[in-house]
Amino acid sequence: MTLQFWQTVTAGGGCTVVWEEVGSYVGLRAQRVDRFGNLGGTTPVNEESHAVLPNEFYLESPNPNPFHDTVKISFSVPQNAAVALKIYNLLGKEVITLKSEKIPGGSHSIYWDGMDKTGQKIAAGIYIVILSNGRYRLTQKIILLR
């Protein structure tokens, strides 16, 4: 893979990263990164994409699980959709909303650092990741070790 990239910072604190990749995509691709460092889907820039969109709404097992510092949460949507990705404790209380917006179809990954919505470290324990889009609601268990 050849990586050549540049970035443009947006008013919301995020940025768009553009790079050149060699492999199934050849050419320039743009990827949105929000102010928390979460990666959005990629968009071709002056290229014809041969990517196949996923055929189902899917939430992968978080990796690593259990985790200490940061965990990667990956999911796929078959078409553009408004989604919400949230973390809940076992009492059903929302800990944080990691994503709540319309996203392009494709595969996406978000990294979570074990902080709640106020920026505080949460206690070690078992948490539930919920990905929903109004029609589907998928869950995964995640374990935080401190």
Side-chain angles (χ1 to χ4, degrees):
M1 176 187 309
T2 301
L3 282 179
Q4 297 176 346
F5 66 93
W6 62 91
Q7 65 183 22
T8 305
V9 177
T10 64
C15 67
T16 300
V17 177
V18 180
W19 74 92
E20 178 181 52
E21 202 175 310
V22 177
S24 61
Y25 300 105
V26 177
L28 295 177
R29 310 234 359 119
Q31 184 167 27
R32 174 120 169 89
V33 181
D34 71 14
R35 62 190 172 108
F36 302 109
N38 298 317
L39 301 176
T42 61
T43 304
V45 179
N46 295 328
E47 80 167 271
E48 185 177 324
S49 174
H50 300 288
V52 177
L53 288 176
N55 58 7
E56 65 181 348
F57 191 66
Y58 184 73
L59 176 60
E60 294 181 25
S61 296
N63 186 28
N65 193 13
F67 76 103
H68 294 280
D69 298 317
T70 304
V71 63
K72 180 180 178 182
I73 302 168
S74 298
F75 60 96
S76 299
V77 294
Q79 59 194 18
N80 295 356
V83 300
L85 182 66
K86 299 181 179 192
I87 308 291
Y88 290 86
N89 65 22
L90 290 179
L91 298 174
K93 182 178 176 188
E94 182 183 320
V95 174
I96 190 167
T97 297
L98 298 174
K99 184 161 292 287
S100 182
E101 63 187 59
K102 187 170 184 176
I103 60 171
S107 297
H108 303 268
S109 293
I110 292 179
Y111 292 86
W112 180 48
D113 60 4
M115 301 284 195
D116 67 11
K117 54 188 159 192
T118 66
Q120 301 296 312
K121 285 185 178 182
I122 62 171
I126 299 172
Y127 294 87
I128 306 298
V129 179
I130 298 180
L131 175 67
S132 60
N133 73 347
R135 183 174 179 190
Y136 298 103
R137 184 178 171 104
L138 305 174
T139 62
Q140 289 284 345
K141 179 175 67 170
I142 194 166
I143 300 170
L144 172 61
L145 302 175
R146 292 272 184 211

